[in-house]
Amino acid sequence: MDCSLVRTLVRRYCAGEENWVDSRTIYVGHKEPPPGAEAYIPQRYPDNRIVSSKYTFWNFIPKNLFEQFRRIANFYFLIIFLVQLIIDTPTSPVTSGLPLFFVITVTAIKQGYEDWLRHKADNAMNQCPVHFIQHGKLVRKQSRKLRVGDIVMVKEDETFPCDLIFLSSNRADGTCHVTTASLDGESSHKTHYAVQDTKGFHTEEDVDGLHATIECEQPQPDLYKFVGRINVYNDLNDPVVRPLGSENLLLRGATLKNTEKIFGVAIYTGMETKMALNYQSKSQKRSAVEKSMNVFLVVYLCILISKALINTVLKYVWQSEPFRDEPWYNQKTESERQRNLFLRAFTDFLAFMVLFNYIIPVSMYVTVEMQKFLGSYFISWDEDMFDEETGEGPLVNTSDLNEELGQVEYIFTDKTGTLTENNMAFKECCIEGHVYVPHVICNGQVLPDSSGIDMIDSSPGVSGREREELFFRAICLCHTVQVKEDDPEDTIDGPRKSPDSKSCVYISSSPDEVALVEGVQRLGFTYLRLKDNYMEILNRENDIERFELLEVLSFDSVRRRMSVIVKSATGEIYLFCKGADSSIFPRVIEGKVDQVRCRVERNAVEGLRTLCVAYKRLIPEEYEAACNLLQAAKVALQDREKKLAEAYEHIEKDLILLGATAVEDRLQEKAADTIEALQKAGIKVWVLTGDKMETAAATCYACKLFRRSTQLLELTTKKIEEQSLHDVLFELSKTVLRCSGSLTRDTFSGLSTDMHDYGLIIDGAALSLIMKPREDGSSSSNYRELFLEICRNCSAVLCCRMAPLQKAQIVKLIKFSKEHPITLAVGDGANDVSMILEAHVGIGVIGKEGRQAARNSDYAIPKFKHLKKMLLVHGHFYYIRISELVQYFFYKNVCFIFPQFLYQFFCGFSQQTLYDTAYLTLYNISFTSLPILLYSLMEQHVSIEVLKRDPTLYRDIAKNALLRWRVFIYWTFLGVFDALVFFFGAYFMFENTTVTSNGQIMTTNINMMFGNWTFGTLVFTVMVFTVTLKLALDTHYWTWINHFVIWGSLLFYVVFSLLWGGIIWPFLSYQRMYYVFIHMLSSGPAWLGITLLVTVSLLPDVLKKVLCRQLWPTATERTQKSSQHQAPVDATLRNDRPLLKDLLPQPRRD
């Protein structure tokens, strides 16, 4: 049964009903409601203790062991160790137990230390003092003792101890400012609003006298969503019901700013706070390399079982002759003769499994983890990826996907803030066909003799003047901009100075809104502030106009518009609405639609971001009906968002069009170069944006996603209205396949000169039609396959008018197509999070739309241009290194265990071990582990400069090229060949033997004492030198560290063997290795034999490399060859320093 289901059932039936019902009721200050109001049902909630630690003192050992043994390799070695303990096996339990103990212990110490640090942090957080109100007085107690319903006081610069409903502050307007940097990384101040009926409570006694209950949803992790309502009991009459939303919720972890103090009531505590719920890890992503590694492990497990089975069968075939079954020196006891044959065979099978189990590399997992963890620092340390303008560097949120950066086939990128700067500049506005352009600002100052407006065409008439001023008022009022007031002398930006000598600095979560408000300020209308629910603007005559803010119909990505309802000083009620043209035009019943649409389309073609503005007057009855509709939706606990959307839809209709605005969002630095390099690397780039088609297409041309030679194909709503979806898809399919003919276009064929270059544009509505099930009940998979076929034959794809969920759908569609390509999503805003989580690799751009994308991503970069180095350099290196690590580990273990398999044919399948216990134990832990770890951290087969200059080298490693079956089989057979050379080379050296006068067996050809351990030591020595020198031959990037580790490992083996065999160790029950290694080295022919066998072992690999480089060189090998002929470049003249530059002085490349 699924553990989560068990946990849910336990919580439901053991922890009380309140944990699973849809909503909860909180009694403010733990006061019962007035008699007859409602039933008082005390409820149990968790305390305010935060527990981010994983273990306790009591459960650390069992829980940690359980989690570690869930790993297949660890569990396998545990079984082998237990078999060695239970039955009589040829090797000591130490040979399996010690490496396993080492791996388990190191991992447990690391995890235990990390958890101890979490315990310390938890205790510091849980014991910090908190002020809360009890019987009208302030009382201090530890944070962990807070309960749901407690009324808390928080002072300026303090962090909220739990999730609070904001009751009141020292400000008269009942607002407070908070920063949520520790939650979502946004450092800007956000304004929150107190409950209307409690904002006047400024003292402890006032707040303590509050009688109220709060009904709200159960805890959920979305930081930006909250649904609830408060019932305030002022007297015996019915309670006043007020809606509660995210603007009334103060989250744990946020900090109070620019506000002396606030009072709030705790609604979510401890592990139910939104901050704690967001601690929970995202779904685990696994790289293609890790999947290949697991498949190879299964193959080797099958090889192991086959070896054990073959040896078991051959043992009983060998012993079928009586004199072999019971030789004179090994007579069986009576009990052994009576044992069941099948039981004996099974025991022998297990013994052979134990003997050959070292073919499964237990230390590979630890080495891979260390390589990923240490290797991830190279991205963080890269100075080229540090952005001095923002002071930000790259972030690595997970190191499990490093090598996946070298396998990307599709990139899905957002446009605004990712390809563009998200730095908006107001360019123009069009009011009823008349175009208004603000004056150019020189060095931050408006030209002194300017009137503020340039008229491109004829001036409007009297009625036009009224519409013009109404438009400017709409821009000044329809937004969520906050005003931060500074002293005039501190002001830098001239355009922000208002005529009343005040300098207004505008703050908003949307750069578009700031650009619009600043732009209309230069056209004569200045937004001053929001005070006591009144919005103040300064008109051209320097008169202050006050509008009462009645309602705000918030912006959302589905509606793509926002509205405000305001009341003027003369009592007129207006609804002002602004939004995308696609959401405004269908709701307009009056206005010069054609002229405005023409201007909007022209601006969009130029790459400008456009918004349309409309309004309507509301009579009191209409406003009353709208107000009731909104209030009913706002206080709903169930489906509040759906009801609000329906209310907004009902209110925002029958509008009168005023005009449109155009804002420029400049392309990011080197965005075009980055896309061009990625396309040359064979990566397909798709742009997914919510912008209109013309704007997005202009940006795509500017960033070289589309070229002038690109033939654009449209799959849009407009096209589908003219023809059916079926016809459009088939027509496009025929178009793209006609030119490609019988040739199969690969992932980068769109760049080739001999094929036609296509670009596809699709909008959100068309995508919905492709994705949704057919009405006749048949599958829509045919449409999807046709769509995918068209996309495969296009060099670039633009998806416009995309909702956030549709972005994720597109990524998922490509991700699970029949080729299963590796996908990467990059974006900077909250609307990109869904596609970032869906893609194999998610990259967040640390931009101006907050840090939700960076926080939910696997990696974060300051600018889009840094994606080039992250993939083409870091990704390339990571993949090369880890693929060599994986293949090398399997290779060296085949070299290690295959001689043991061959040896059984010469010892009567008696399960006699070839190597000494110490060698069995230390081979993977000490003798061969450090060189490959260092190689996997530092290898650079070509220089960083070459990888950046020639993106096509990325193609050489595409589609998991270095871990394909062909390469895996080559490494395996190379290991088998080397093992044959080790074994039979040593065997033929011992072929001719004689018995000396003292009874020792000596070899006549090399004059060396002959024995089992001498033979095994000779094989082991040749093997250690061969596998280490094989790695040295594969190394292209030599530094003093490589030399130290590679030659140091060989020296360590020699020194260890001399000590191990040169001293009689008192703690050993046997001394079989005494003097063996020293005596072996004392023979000159043995030295010659070792040298000859190592040379013969390495020769095939060297020959293969030479022949392949000469006859079938890859692009990388051609680059290596050409770089060797070029004159060395002075390191001081290079722009890009090598990785680990401080550790690698004067590297030499072979």
Side-chain angles (χ1 to χ4, degrees):
M1 180 184 283
D2 184 15
C3 292
S4 61
L5 180 59
V6 174
R7 193 160 54 244
T8 304
L9 292 173
V10 169
R11 287 182 65 196
R12 179 172 297 185
Y13 294 111
C14 299
E17 185 182 359
E18 71 280 359
N19 284 318
W20 59 274
V21 293
D22 292 332
S23 62
R24 59 169 57 183
T25 301
I26 294 129
Y27 302 97
V28 177
H30 308 289
K31 293 181 180 177
E32 298 182 21
E38 59 181 88
Y40 175 62
I41 307 171
Q43 299 179 27
R44 289 182 295 127
Y45 300 109
D47 59 20
N48 200 38
R49 191 183 287 113
I50 284 287
V51 183
S52 63
S53 55
K54 201 173 184 179
Y55 309 104
T56 65
F57 178 80
W58 305 106
N59 73 8
F60 173 71
I61 292 176
K63 191 173 181 180
N64 186 264
L65 288 177
F66 172 75
E67 292 195 350
Q68 291 208 56
F69 285 119
R70 286 168 68 183
R71 272 204 139 143
I72 294 173
N74 289 347
F75 184 71
Y76 162 77
F77 272 88
L78 176 66
I79 296 298
I80 293 293
F81 175 64
L82 293 176
V83 168
Q84 286 177 298
L85 288 175
I86 294 167
I87 67 171
D88 183 22
T89 56
T91 57
S92 165
V94 174
T95 58
S96 288
L98 191 60
L100 180 63
F101 177 76
F102 173 76
V103 168
I104 295 295
T105 304
V106 168
T107 309
I109 290 171
K110 172 180 169 285
Q111 292 178 349
Y113 175 69
E114 289 174 348
D115 206 60
W116 177 72
L117 293 178
R118 284 193 287 266
H119 270 284
K120 279 186 68 177
D122 288 348
N123 288 335
M125 190 180 290
N126 293 331
Q127 292 174 9
C128 68
V130 173
H131 294 90
F132 76 105
I133 295 173
Q134 193 172 41
H135 307 305
K137 295 181 181 178
L138 274 182
V139 179
R140 277 180 56 165
K141 63 179 176 183
Q142 290 183 345
S143 173
R144 62 190 175 90
K145 295 180 179 177
L146 263 181
R147 292 185 302 151
V148 171
D150 284 347
I151 298 177
V152 180
M153 187 189 81
V154 180
K155 296 180 180 177
E156 186 174 0
D157 293 327
E158 287 184 353
T159 302
F160 300 118
C162 59
D163 290 353
L164 306 168
I165 288 297
F166 182 19
L167 296 177
S168 67
S169 72
N170 65 301
R171 291 169 172 261
D173 59 356
T175 61
C176 73
H177 299 287
V178 304
T179 58
T180 55
S182 60
L183 293 171
D184 57 13
E186 294 188 50
S187 56
S188 61
H189 291 195
K190 297 181 177 67
T191 304
H192 286 256
Y193 301 91
V195 177
Q196 190 70 23
D197 297 83
T198 63
K199 69 179 184 181
F201 297 173
H202 299 300
T203 66
E204 290 81 357
E205 292 80 9
D206 291 344
V207 177
D208 191 51
L210 174 65
H211 267 96
T213 58
I214 294 172
E215 296 171 79
C216 62
E217 61 186 358
Q218 292 292 359
Q220 50 97 1
D222 192 337
L223 297 175
Y224 312 100
K225 181 185 173 190
F226 175 73
V227 175
R229 64 185 174 216
I230 184 169
N231 304 300
V232 182
Y233 300 95
N234 293 322
D235 46 36
L236 295 177
N237 297 329
D238 289 339
V240 177
V241 181
R242 298 287 183 191
L244 298 174
S246 56
E247 70 278 4
N248 309 116
L249 183 67
L250 304 173
L251 300 177
R252 177 173 193 148
T255 305
L256 184 65
K257 294 289 185 183
N258 296 342
T259 309
E260 188 181 320
K261 65 177 182 180
I262 65 102
F263 293 104
V265 58
I267 59 163
Y268 303 132
T269 52
M271 298 308 292
E272 291 188 339
T273 58
K274 288 182 181 286
M275 182 179 77
L277 294 174
N278 274 277
Y279 283 154
Q280 295 168 3
S281 59
K282 304 182 285 292
S283 59
Q284 191 69 29
K285 294 180 180 180
R286 293 170 63 219
S287 69
V289 169
E290 191 178 343
K291 293 172 186 173
S292 298
M293 199 163 71
N294 291 337
V295 171
F296 295 160
L297 204 65
V298 171
V299 170
Y300 271 69
L301 196 59
C302 294
I303 293 172
L304 168 64
I305 294 169
S306 303
K307 280 183 177 180
L309 207 58
I310 290 167
N311 275 257
T312 305
V313 171
L314 290 177
K315 176 176 181 174
Y316 283 91
V317 171
W318 166 265
Q319 291 179 352
S320 59
E321 296 290 335
F323 71 92
R324 288 176 178 165
D325 188 28
E326 289 191 63
W328 60 268
Y329 56 84
N330 192 19
Q331 294 286 331
K332 290 184 179 179
T333 62
E334 192 60 34
S335 62
E336 285 177 326
R337 290 192 186 98
Q338 298 298 324
R339 284 182 70 192
N340 182 280
L341 177 65
F342 291 107
L343 186 61
R344 274 189 295 152
F346 181 67
T347 306
D348 284 328
F349 172 75
L350 291 179
F352 279 119
M353 285 282 287
V354 168
L355 189 63
F356 302 140
N357 84 85
Y358 301 96
I359 197 171
I360 307 294
V362 66
S363 57
M364 180 174 70
Y365 283 97
V366 178
T367 310
V368 166
E369 277 197 9
M370 290 175 67
Q371 190 268 348
K372 288 185 175 185
F373 174 71
L374 296 173
S376 64
Y377 283 103
F378 293 153
I379 289 179
S380 305
W381 292 340
D382 194 333
E383 293 177 2
D384 291 342
M385 295 175 69
F386 182 83
D387 186 55
E388 293 183 358
E389 182 186 334
T390 60
E392 300 281 0
L395 300 174
V396 179
N397 296 329
T398 176
S399 59
D400 293 338
L401 302 170
N402 293 344
E403 64 276 10
E404 205 82 328
L405 294 170
Q407 292 296 292
V408 175
E409 295 171 66
Y410 282 82
I411 290 178
F412 301 92
T413 175
D414 177 43
K415 184 182 79 70
T416 306
T418 305
L419 292 177
T420 61
E421 290 183 349
N422 204 11
N423 188 11
M424 309 299 176
F426 184 84
K427 301 303 288 183
E428 67 169 58
C429 59
C430 170
I431 306 170
E432 292 200 330
H434 303 286
V435 179
Y436 299 71
V437 180
H439 275 295
V440 178
I441 304 165
C442 298
N443 301 320
Q445 299 292 325
V446 178
L447 295 178
D449 58 345
S450 68
S451 62
I453 301 177
D454 282 341
M455 294 299 301
I456 285 183
D457 48 13
S458 60
S459 181
V462 177
S463 63
R465 177 71 65 173
E466 291 176 4
R467 290 285 174 89
E468 172 194 300
E469 293 190 353
L470 204 54
F471 176 89
F472 293 146
R473 288 189 183 97
I475 298 294
C476 280
L477 297 170
C478 188
H479 56 71
T480 56
V481 170
Q482 302 169 31
V483 180
K484 181 181 177 184
E485 295 185 358
D486 289 330
D487 294 329
E489 58 267 20
D490 294 337
T491 304
I492 297 171
D493 292 338
R496 290 175 178 172
K497 288 187 178 179
S498 56
D500 62 348
S501 300
K502 285 187 178 180
S503 170
C504 299
V505 178
Y506 298 119
I507 304 169
S508 175
S509 57
S510 168
D512 292 77
E513 289 194 328
V514 174
L516 290 174
V517 173
E518 288 182 345
V520 84
Q521 184 180 29
R522 302 207 300 273
L523 293 173
F525 278 76
T526 304
Y527 172 60
L528 297 177
R529 60 180 172 175
L530 172 66
K531 183 180 180 182
D532 297 333
N533 220 37
Y534 279 87
M535 302 179 84
E536 296 181 359
I537 61 175
L538 192 74
N539 62 24
R540 287 177 186 154
E541 285 74 34
N542 280 358
D543 296 328
I544 294 178
E545 300 178 6
R546 299 179 84 235
F547 291 83
E548 184 182 358
L549 181 61
L550 301 175
E551 297 287 349
V552 177
L553 281 60
S554 305
F555 174 87
D556 64 66
S557 55
V558 178
R559 283 166 54 243
R560 298 181 58 77
R561 62 186 182 274
M562 78 159 289
S563 301
V564 294
I565 300 177
V566 295
K567 188 176 184 179
S568 69
T570 58
E572 292 178 311
I573 300 173
Y574 293 94
L575 180 140
F576 291 117
C577 181
K578 72 175 182 192
D581 57 311
S582 59
S583 66
I584 296 293
F585 285 146
R587 287 163 181 78
V588 167
I589 58 168
E590 189 182 327
K592 297 186 178 180
V593 177
D594 293 335
Q595 294 96 317
V596 174
R597 180 183 277 119
C598 181
R599 192 70 192 180
V600 164
E601 289 174 356
R602 176 179 166 180
N603 287 331
V605 168
E606 293 176 4
L608 302 179
R609 293 165 62 85
T610 57
L611 284 176
C612 292
V613 181
Y615 84 106
K616 74 172 178 179
R617 282 190 175 89
L618 297 175
I619 58 174
E621 291 78 15
E622 286 178 322
Y623 168 67
E624 196 68 33
C627 193
N628 292 335
L629 196 62
L630 287 171
Q631 181 67 12
K634 284 179 181 178
V635 298
L637 290 180
Q638 303 295 325
D639 300 325
R640 178 183 289 185
E641 288 186 351
K642 181 183 175 184
K643 291 175 181 176
L644 276 174
E646 290 171 354
Y648 292 163
E649 193 71 25
H650 181 75
I651 295 167
E652 295 170 325
K653 63 180 184 180
D654 301 334
L655 304 176
I656 300 170
L657 185 64
L658 286 171
T661 61
V663 172
E664 183 183 33
D665 187 9
R666 288 185 290 273
L667 207 62
Q668 274 199 21
E669 178 191 8
K670 296 185 179 177
D673 294 342
T674 302
I675 286 183
E676 192 172 24
L678 293 172
Q679 287 183 324
K680 285 179 180 176
I683 301 171
K684 284 196 170 183
V685 183
W686 291 29
V687 174
L688 313 182
T689 179
D691 274 359
K692 66 195 303 328
M693 187 178 83
E694 293 81 5
T695 306
T699 304
C700 289
Y701 276 113
C703 68
K704 298 183 181 177
L705 184 71
F706 294 155
R707 290 169 173 74
R708 294 303 165 193
S709 60
T710 304
Q711 181 180 341
L712 292 186
L713 308 172
E714 287 187 21
L715 182 54
T716 57
T717 317
K718 184 179 178 183
K719 199 90 181 254
I720 293 169
E721 285 172 358
E722 297 168 0
Q723 298 173 268
S724 69
L725 177 63
H726 180 274
D727 294 341
V728 173
L729 283 171
F730 269 94
E731 185 181 311
L732 293 177
S733 178
K734 280 192 285 186
T735 304
V736 296
L737 293 176
R738 190 186 306 126
C739 291
S740 59
S742 59
L743 296 172
T744 303
R745 296 168 67 95
D746 59 16
T747 54
F748 41 83
S749 60
L751 294 170
S752 57
T753 55
D754 57 340
M755 286 187 181
H756 208 84
D757 190 14
Y758 290 109
L760 177 68
I761 299 177
I762 180 173
D763 62 17
L767 179 69
S768 298
L769 290 173
I770 292 170
M771 299 296 288
K772 78 174 184 180
R774 302 274 292 278
E775 290 179 5
D776 57 5
S778 61
S779 172
S780 61
S781 60
N782 290 341
Y783 283 174
R784 295 183 196 180
E785 281 305 314
L786 261 177
F787 173 64
L788 286 171
E789 189 63 37
I790 294 164
C791 292
R792 286 188 202 105
N793 288 277
C794 292
S795 58
V797 178
L798 165 62
C799 305
C800 49
R801 298 296 195 200
M802 288 279 141
L805 196 59
Q806 286 182 312
K807 292 184 178 184
Q809 283 180 333
I810 283 276
V811 175
K812 190 174 183 179
L813 185 67
I814 299 298
K815 181 179 170 183
F816 292 109
S817 61
K818 62 184 179 184
E819 297 92 355
H820 294 286
I822 304 299
T823 57
L824 180 147
V826 54
D828 72 315
N831 60 332
D832 303 315
V833 169
S834 54
M835 75 168 179
I836 284 172
L837 294 177
E838 183 62 54
H840 290 96
V841 184
I843 293 185
V845 176
I846 307 169
K848 298 182 179 180
E849 290 189 14
R851 299 213 179 181
Q852 297 96 311
R855 196 162 50 88
N856 286 279
S857 63
D858 303 305
Y859 304 89
I861 52 177
K863 293 284 176 66
F864 182 77
K865 66 178 180 180
H866 298 132
L867 191 63
K868 177 181 176 181
K869 189 172 186 184
M870 179 170 265
L871 297 189
L872 304 187
V873 178
H874 290 290
H876 196 118
F877 282 154
Y878 282 139
Y879 179 73
I880 290 284
R881 293 163 181 168
I882 202 166
S883 57
E884 175 90 7
L885 184 152
V886 171
Q887 300 281 27
Y888 179 80
F889 251 100
F890 286 114
Y891 156 78
K892 73 185 181 75
N893 277 37
V894 170
C895 291
F896 182 41
I897 218 64
F898 199 70
Q900 180 73 70
F901 173 74
L902 295 173
Y903 187 59
Q904 296 308 301
F905 289 85
F906 295 87
C907 67
F909 306 99
S910 62
Q911 297 153 8
Q912 170 62 41
T913 179
L914 178 61
Y915 311 118
D916 178 61
T917 303
Y919 289 158
L920 282 170
T921 306
L922 297 178
Y923 176 71
N924 277 320
I925 293 178
S926 301
F927 299 147
T928 59
S929 58
L930 267 182
I932 184 59
L933 176 62
L934 198 77
Y935 175 97
S936 66
L937 287 172
M938 304 176 69
E939 172 64 359
Q940 295 182 23
H941 58 305
V942 291
S943 69
I944 294 173
E945 295 87 346
V946 171
L947 286 177
K948 290 171 73 175
R949 191 170 61 243
D950 187 2
T952 56
L953 297 179
Y954 193 84
R955 300 179 186 181
D956 279 358
I957 60 169
K959 297 186 181 294
N960 209 9
L962 301 182
L963 286 174
R964 289 178 185 165
W965 284 108
R966 179 173 51 83
V967 184
F968 171 70
I969 291 167
Y970 168 75
W971 278 86
T972 302
F973 274 101
L974 184 64
V976 170
F977 171 81
D978 288 352
L980 289 168
V981 172
F982 306 154
F983 184 84
F984 287 108
Y987 176 77
F988 290 127
M989 286 174 67
F990 283 120
E991 192 173 22
N992 301 314
T993 58
T994 59
V995 180
T996 63
S997 57
N998 60 0
Q1000 291 181 327
I1001 300 175
M1002 297 292 291
T1003 58
T1004 56
N1005 51 352
I1006 63 172
N1007 193 28
M1008 191 170 71
M1009 188 172 65
F1010 177 80
N1012 172 61
W1013 302 116
T1014 307
F1015 178 64
T1017 302
L1018 180 62
V1019 171
F1020 192 82
T1021 302
V1022 174
M1023 177 177 60
V1024 169
F1025 274 78
T1026 300
V1027 298
T1028 305
L1029 291 174
K1030 160 79 171 111
L1031 191 66
L1033 286 173
D1034 287 349
T1035 302
H1036 296 89
Y1037 192 71
W1038 283 95
T1039 67
W1040 66 266
I1041 301 180
N1042 297 74
H1043 286 292
F1044 176 78
V1045 170
I1046 286 177
W1047 313 125
S1049 291
L1050 295 176
L1051 183 64
F1052 173 74
Y1053 164 68
V1054 173
V1055 171
F1056 173 84
S1057 298
L1058 289 171
L1059 290 173
W1060 185 245
I1063 299 173
I1064 297 176
W1065 298 96
F1067 57 83
L1068 291 178
S1069 59
Y1070 60 87
Q1071 301 296 334
R1072 62 194 180 201
M1073 291 301 292
Y1074 181 65
Y1075 216 60
V1076 169
F1077 191 74
I1078 297 169
H1079 187 79
M1080 184 186 78
L1081 293 185
S1082 65
S1083 168
W1087 286 80
L1088 181 62
I1090 291 170
T1091 306
L1092 187 65
L1093 291 177
V1094 169
T1095 305
V1096 172
S1097 300
L1098 294 173
L1099 196 60
D1101 192 47
V1102 174
L1103 287 174
K1104 179 251 179 190
K1105 280 186 166 67
V1106 171
L1107 287 173
C1108 286
R1109 279 173 175 268
Q1110 293 300 321
L1111 301 176
W1112 309 284
T1114 63
T1116 303
E1117 288 165 348
R1118 284 195 294 270
T1119 304
Q1120 288 171 339
K1121 191 174 180 180
S1122 63
S1123 63
Q1124 287 171 0
H1125 294 301
Q1126 292 174 355
V1129 182
D1130 184 2
T1132 59
L1133 298 178
R1134 296 181 184 178
N1135 293 324
D1136 300 297
R1137 293 176 284 275
L1139 299 176
L1140 276 177
K1141 56 187 181 303
D1142 299 328
L1143 299 176
L1144 310 178
Q1146 299 178 349
R1148 178 175 66 81
R1149 294 186 184 277
D1150 291 341

